[in-house]
Amino acid sequence: MGYLVGLLVIVLAGLTSAVLYAPRQSPVVYPPPQGSAIQESYFAFQLKSFRRSLKECAEYWEIPWYRVQKLIDNNFEHASKDLQCLIRCAGVNSGWWDDLDGLRYTVIESYFQPDADDTCYADRTKECIDQRLSSCKTDCAKAYESFMCYLQQYGSLKSSEEYIPLTRLEAIQVAVDCINILQVSDDLLNQISQGEIPDVPEVHCLYRCQYLGEGVYDT
């Protein structure tokens, strides 16, 4: 529960009730709310494969696909600086890399499949990351070496689409939207902003809305 509380405290600390309830443009389009019932998720969480992230980043960086394909054929080894930045971009695009927070372990692990008989992959990967990142001087190099440690030590790179967790800013946006959708009262907002979370149906619905919005819960 602390995660949602933290988000709501951040939201409420910088926004008055007038701002919360004021008409505004949102990147996510919702149907008109009907009471506090949400029958279906209309939020914009994503599923994406690593290959798709690479393709999108190759377009962003204007890197010809034949160079990316050559990198893939070479098991991503010996990447030039611009291709290391391509891997960083794919990491940001896939949700497993952030320049401020670094590697998001639980996210990158969803893109790899360990061998069923391998019991040491996690320790090997951690040791690899500790060794390689100590000499990295750029974010591109750090993201690239992190990816290579997972590729070489953790398991096989999946081709499937994986869930991309929302960024902190996106999660805050979901919290604001849920407050508006569910028409949370000023009294309850004030309680939540002070860290007091009453065990009432309105709060339960708020949590449900947040988890629907982040794509981690479905009815």
Side-chain angles (χ1 to χ4, degrees), residues 90-110:
V92 173
N93 201 5
S94 301
W96 56 259
W97 181 261
D98 181 273
D99 288 343
L100 293 178
D101 299 329
L103 187 63
R104 300 174 73 181
Y105 293 92
T106 56
V107 182
I108 193 172
E109 287 169 7
S110 69

Side-chain angles (χ1 to χ4, degrees), residues 177-198:
D177 289 334
C178 285
I179 289 169
N180 284 324
I181 289 172
L182 300 178
Q183 297 180 311
V184 180
S185 68
D186 286 346
D187 289 341
L188 184 54
L189 289 177
N190 289 331
Q191 282 185 276
I192 294 174
S193 68
Q194 296 171 16
E196 300 175 8
I197 312 299

